[in-house]
Amino acid sequence: MATLKAFCRAESLLFKNLAVHRRARLNFASHQLSKTCAYYFSTSSLRGSQFYSNPTEAVKDIPNGATILVGGFGLCGIPENLINSLLKTGVEGLTAVSNNAGVDNFGLGLLLQTKQIKRMISSYVGENAEFERQYLSGELEVELTPQGTLAERIRAGGAGVPAFFTPTGYGTLIQEGGSPIKYNKDGSIAIASEEREVREFNGRHYIMEKAITGDFALIKAWKADKAGNIIFRKTARNFNQPMCKAAKTTIVESQKLYIVLLETNCLTG
């Protein structure tokens, strides 16, 4: 009987120690998981953000010759206050990547009027008469890209994919090269597009398109927090979401707050 009681006490002590050990391991695992999750979200020490109430202060460090990715589709979701602030800084020689260039007196059309944009990479000239005039007179370089291809080139840039293949544009000047990017004043072609590499997959021809990245992204968001999380509102998301991932530095216009971010989390609301 004494032996049985001793055995029961030993068994009880063993299970007690195992339970403590399991709880310790669980706590350790939970601690590790929280640390890991924190790294992938906005509490990472690698992230940095600065907040401004004045949009001009937010864009003042954009230098001459920079490549800027400007969100928006038509006039929906464009960072109009950040664009207006570039007028005040007087930065020149910009390469602007945007679906279109707004209209004559709003959006990127304002920067075209002051000739601060050297090259436009876009899919649509739109109703901007000044855009058309500068292009045809040889004052502006324009790289026209199919809209879906433009979106994927930006997305690929943010994903770290250097190039991809698409059937769009095969058999056209986009594939063959020679599409005018810039005209001379006499109407001859000063700069022409390059010929694209062609490959065949499953009996269909595809052309290679290179990814697009930028020095700065100017985007419009619905909401943003101090950790760098951004929420877009419905169709105003458009090109804004991929652009904020494809630039080295993202400048966000959100309500009356302007944020300069080195890294962002982009969500849809």
Side-chain angles (χ1 to χ4, degrees):
M1 181 62 70
T3 303
L4 180 60
K5 288 182 179 179
F7 178 77
C8 289
R9 285 197 298 269
E11 185 181 40
S12 177
L13 182 62
L14 175 63
F15 280 113
K16 185 177 180 180
N17 289 335
L18 284 175
V20 171
H21 181 63
R22 286 182 179 177
R23 284 198 298 270
R25 289 185 63 185
L26 181 60
N27 290 337
F28 177 75
S30 299
H31 178 64
Q32 290 296 99
L33 180 61
S34 67
K35 287 177 65 178
T36 303
C37 289
Y39 179 82
Y40 287 107
F41 289 94
S42 46
T43 54
S44 169
S45 61
L46 294 178
R47 299 179 184 273
S49 57
Q50 298 176 357
F51 298 83
Y52 300 91
S53 58
N54 185 339
T56 304
E57 287 295 312
V59 301
K60 67 179 181 180
D61 293 327
I62 297 180
N64 293 338
T67 296
I68 58 173
L69 313 181
V70 185
F73 186 94
L75 300 180
C76 176
I78 67 170
E80 63 269 17
N81 292 311
L82 294 177
I83 293 172
N84 290 340
S85 295
L86 291 177
L87 294 171
K88 299 177 181 178
T89 65
V91 61
E92 298 177 339
L94 295 172
T95 295
V97 181
S98 186
N99 180 61
N100 59 288
V103 293
D104 288 332
N105 297 310
F106 195 70
L108 287 176
L110 296 172
L111 296 181
L112 287 174
Q113 288 183 353
T114 55
K115 297 185 179 180
Q116 292 173 252
I117 296 177
K118 177 184 178 182
R119 174 178 286 214
M120 279 293 308
I121 301 176
S122 59
S123 67
Y124 178 59
V125 174
E127 293 77 31
N128 194 319
E130 181 63 14
F131 187 144
E132 179 183 7
R133 188 198 67 77
Q134 288 189 23
Y135 175 47
L136 295 178
S137 63
E139 299 174 16
L140 177 69
E141 300 174 14
V142 178
E143 184 180 334
L144 289 174
T145 304
Q147 192 169 89
T149 301
L150 178 64
E152 181 61 15
R153 289 179 69 187
I154 297 167
R155 189 209 64 81
V161 178
F164 60 92
F165 285 90
T166 174
T168 304
Y170 175 76
T172 70
L173 279 178
I174 293 175
Q175 175 244 311
E176 297 167 357
S179 176
I181 292 176
K182 184 179 181 181
Y183 287 102
N184 291 312
K185 293 188 181 298
D186 61 3
S188 59
I189 298 177
I191 303 175
S193 64
E194 298 179 352
E195 182 180 359
R196 302 293 200 274
E197 178 183 341
V198 177
R199 291 194 184 184
E200 184 176 337
F201 299 96
N202 299 320
R204 191 176 184 184
H205 291 95
Y206 293 76
I207 65 173
M208 189 181 78
E209 292 283 359
K210 296 179 181 179
I212 292 176
T213 57
D215 301 307
F216 295 86
L218 308 184
I219 68 170
K220 179 71 171 287
W222 179 43
K223 294 180 180 180
D225 63 23
K226 294 183 178 180
N229 298 298
I230 301 170
I231 300 177
F232 301 100
R233 183 66 170 168
K234 298 182 178 180
T235 57
R237 176 184 62 174
N238 50 66
F239 283 85
N240 283 293
Q241 185 181 33
M243 283 182 172
C244 70
K245 300 178 181 180
K248 297 175 183 176
T249 300
T250 298
I251 305 177
V252 183
E253 177 179 324
S254 176
Q255 298 170 335
K256 294 183 179 180
L257 187 65
Y258 304 91
I259 314 170
V260 178
L261 300 167
L262 300 181
E263 194 172 346
T264 55
N265 285 328
C266 303
L267 308 173
T268 303

